[in-house]
Amino acid sequence: MNQQLLFYTLQLADNALINGHRLSEWCGHGPVLEQDIAISNIALDHLGRARSLYQYAAELFNALPPEERSTVFNSPALQEKVQMGALLDEDDLAYLRDGWDFRNVLLVEQPNEDWAFTIARSFYFDVHNFYFFEALKSSTDKMLASIAEKSLKEIAYHLRWSSEWVIRLGDGTDESHQRMQNALNERWMFTGELNTPATFELNLQETGAPVDLGIVAPRWMQKVTEVITEATLKLPASTWMQQGGKNGVHSEHLGYVLAELQFMQRAYPDMEW
Amino acid sequence: MEIVFTENQILDWLRSVTDPEVPILTILDLGIVRGVTLAGHEVTVVITPTYSGCPAMDVIAMNIRMALLSHGVRKVNIENQLSPAWTTDWMSDEGKQKLQEYGIAPPRRSSGLASPALFDDELVPCPRCGSEHTELTSQFGPTSCKSLHRCLSCLEPFEHFKCH
Ligand SMILES: [Zn+2]
């Protein structure tokens, strides 16, 4: 059961890290200074939440019986440490796992493309995050509940920011309207996974630790519809929903993200600055 | 010789630790010190982060350690407490006054519940001329805790310590 809780925590940590990394790619490239600052601030909130979650995940991992620890991951660099009996910390989990050990949803690893695509990804994810973390506050797991309590106020700001941009672009010029609609349509296929539980989530359900996604899903749909309507845009047509991220099956984009994110630790193991 | 510290002494020493991003505020003004416990030569300070990713927190933890060690405390433990989550309601009145004098509009309304309500701009008076005729430039400022505003009376831009 503890291994399931570890996967659950890692899934949330990976969502935060990869989403934060994607947003940080805009730093220095924002369309105007204020938005450059805004998106970098938001990236920092996600990275901060990722740290708390990785610290907790490391704690859960280190508490597993030694024989079980060697069966959790399939990443050579991390396994080498584990085989030597080393305990893991937040940095090991962020920097030494390969793509197949990452459990983030496919949505957050999708490339930034233009501003509308970035906003579409953030908007879908922020709506989910808001209702998800609101529910996680009542988790029976005390640590997850306190991380949720801490994060929720920040997430409320993120959601406000991305929603307002959807409206600004949708209800803007013909071109911004068209681009926003196109981006929402193109990213729609990655939204189904947000509210589809993975095996480890279902296995944990009876402990009361995880969020019941059945509660989050209708709230997500209602809020998304509300904002898209206000933006004079159309809800994308239903389509085949892609999934796999929660189980380590990713799109080709994650590899490029990790190559940049992990470069220093892989080239110079244990370096600090 | 046995040195005995009192809690008030420790709190007094913590008054020398300031927020590296808003150096006029001490960590006590900010309301992030949640408790101090003493056990002989060992002092445990419980702090709560303002924002999850706030880079100032690491610096603050280090400065707490330095301040107490310099007063002869032999062992300093710093504990991070996430719940209850920090709110600007915990900022001291003195801290709010200092912000105002420093040119940063202090948080005003009680933070209440996190709300994603759209275009809900709160009224933030200009810290320079007091005018209530101001507008929001950006919800996100140079640090996590501040937003950007502009005064439409004196035309000066200013920062606001966000309600949180
Ligand atoms: Zn003014």
Side-chain angles (χ1 to χ4, degrees):
Chain A
M1 206 47 92
N2 282 342
Q3 196 170 326
Q4 309 292 305
L5 186 61
L6 166 62
F7 289 153
Y8 189 72
T9 307
L10 271 179
Q11 204 264 312
L12 300 180
D14 292 344
N15 275 352
L17 177 67
I18 302 302
N19 189 60
H21 183 84
R22 275 299 188 207
L23 294 177
S24 78
E25 291 173 355
W26 273 105
C27 185
H29 303 273
V32 289
L33 184 59
E34 284 79 7
Q35 295 308 322
D36 193 296
I37 294 170
I39 205 165
S40 303
N41 261 294
I42 294 170
L44 199 57
D45 288 343
H46 288 292
L47 295 180
R49 188 173 76 256
R51 281 194 65 184
S52 303
L53 289 161
Y54 282 131
Q55 283 164 8
Y56 184 44
E59 210 177 285
L60 291 170
F61 178 87
N62 294 335
L64 293 175
E67 61 280 8
E68 201 180 330
R69 278 185 232 149
S70 57
T71 65
V72 178
F73 298 113
N74 282 308
S75 305
L78 193 64
Q79 277 305 83
E80 202 177 308
K81 270 202 160 168
V82 174
Q83 299 293 354
M84 291 189 315
L87 296 179
L88 301 183
D89 65 17
E90 49 178 319
D91 290 333
D92 296 322
L93 292 172
Y95 294 127
L96 300 183
R97 279 178 307 143
D98 295 311
W100 48 82
D101 276 332
F102 269 78
R103 294 181 176 274
N104 59 277
V105 291
L106 299 175
L107 175 68
V108 297
E109 70 200 37
Q110 299 309 307
N112 288 339
E113 308 287 355
D114 64 10
W115 191 251
F117 269 83
T118 299
I119 295 299
R121 185 189 59 213
S122 277
F123 171 60
Y124 288 150
F125 184 61
D126 294 343
V127 177
H128 173 75
N129 254 358
F130 184 75
Y131 295 110
F132 183 92
F133 278 91
E134 192 178 52
L136 192 66
K137 279 206 305 185
S138 346
S139 170
T140 52
D141 187 277
K142 266 186 74 183
M143 182 54 94
L144 290 179
S146 38
I147 294 173
E149 186 188 340
K150 176 77 227 158
S151 309
L152 193 62
K153 290 198 232 181
E154 294 162 14
I155 292 168
Y157 273 116
H158 305 164
L159 175 54
R160 209 182 127 170
W161 179 82
S162 54
S163 303
E164 288 178 4
W165 267 108
V166 170
I167 295 167
R168 197 162 289 142
L169 294 177
D171 200 9
T173 65
D174 287 345
E175 186 179 355
S176 71
H177 178 91
Q178 197 44 53
R179 284 192 183 214
M180 193 66 242
Q181 184 67 62
N182 182 41
L184 288 171
N185 295 348
E186 290 295 317
R187 290 295 176 255
W188 186 251
M189 67 174 108
F190 300 109
T191 57
E193 190 180 22
L194 293 169
N195 291 316
T196 307
T199 317
F200 56 84
E201 290 178 276
L202 296 172
N203 289 345
L204 276 174
Q205 210 66 56
E206 62 191 35
T207 67
V211 166
D212 179 358
L213 294 176
I215 292 175
V216 178
R219 292 178 186 164
W220 182 89
M221 186 56 88
Q222 194 191 338
K223 181 74 182 176
V224 165
T225 308
E226 200 181 291
V227 172
I228 287 183
T229 308
E230 168 142 16
T232 71
L233 295 159
K234 287 194 180 65
L235 200 67
S238 64
T239 181
W240 172 257
M241 290 294 179
Q242 302 290 339
Q243 50 178 309
K246 287 184 178 183
N247 293 314
V249 182
H250 292 276
S251 63
E252 69 274 26
H253 305 296
L254 182 66
Y256 292 97
V257 171
L258 294 182
E260 186 177 317
L261 183 82
Q262 299 181 333
F263 169 78
M264 290 298 259
Q265 277 304 316
R266 298 303 185 108
Y268 308 99
D270 298 327
M271 69 97 63
E272 283 180 34
W273 65 17
Chain B
M1 189 184 80
E2 189 70 13
I3 311 168
V4 181
F5 310 112
T6 67
E7 196 181 315
N8 277 337
Q9 230 169 350
I10 301 286
L11 286 173
D12 208 41
W13 294 337
L14 289 180
R15 243 173 266 283
S16 69
V17 181
T18 56
D19 177 350
E21 286 171 348
V22 191
I24 40 139
L25 293 182
T26 72
I27 54 174
L28 297 175
D29 290 331
L30 270 172
I32 60 173
V33 176
R34 304 315 298 159
V36 170
T37 49
L38 309 166
H41 289 278
E42 203 172 322
V43 174
T44 302
V45 182
V46 181
I47 56 174
T48 182
T50 50
Y51 285 76
S52 305
C54 181
M57 292 308 294
D58 288 339
V59 180
I60 288 173
M62 188 179 71
N63 289 344
I64 290 176
R65 203 175 289 281
M66 301 285 278
L68 298 187
L69 290 177
S70 76
H71 282 101
V73 178
R74 282 192 213 149
K75 186 152 190 262
V76 180
N77 307 312
I78 313 254
E79 272 176 27
N80 254 301
Q81 183 180 298
L82 294 177
S83 174
W86 176 79
T87 153
T88 40
D89 298 348
W90 295 347
M91 187 185 286
S92 68
D93 289 339
E94 198 189 335
K96 288 175 186 168
Q97 185 64 34
K98 284 194 220 169
L99 275 179
Q100 175 82 23
E101 285 159 11
Y102 194 64
I104 299 175
R108 297 211 312 165
R109 68 176 172 196
S110 177
S111 61
L113 291 169
S115 146
L118 300 181
F119 303 108
D120 159 38
D121 293 343
E122 77 180 290
L123 178 78
V124 183
C126 170
R128 286 169 217 278
C129 73
S131 166
E132 295 192 340
H133 196 39
T134 64
E135 66 178 11
L136 175 73
T137 318
S138 175
Q139 199 58 251
F140 298 88
T143 62
S144 307
C145 56
K146 286 175 278 178
S147 52
L148 299 172
H149 301 254
R150 186 164 35 223
C151 175
L152 300 171
S153 298
C154 72
L155 303 179
E156 288 291 329
F158 66 91
E159 294 171 353
H160 166 50
F161 204 107
K162 287 192 263 196
C163 299
H164 193 72

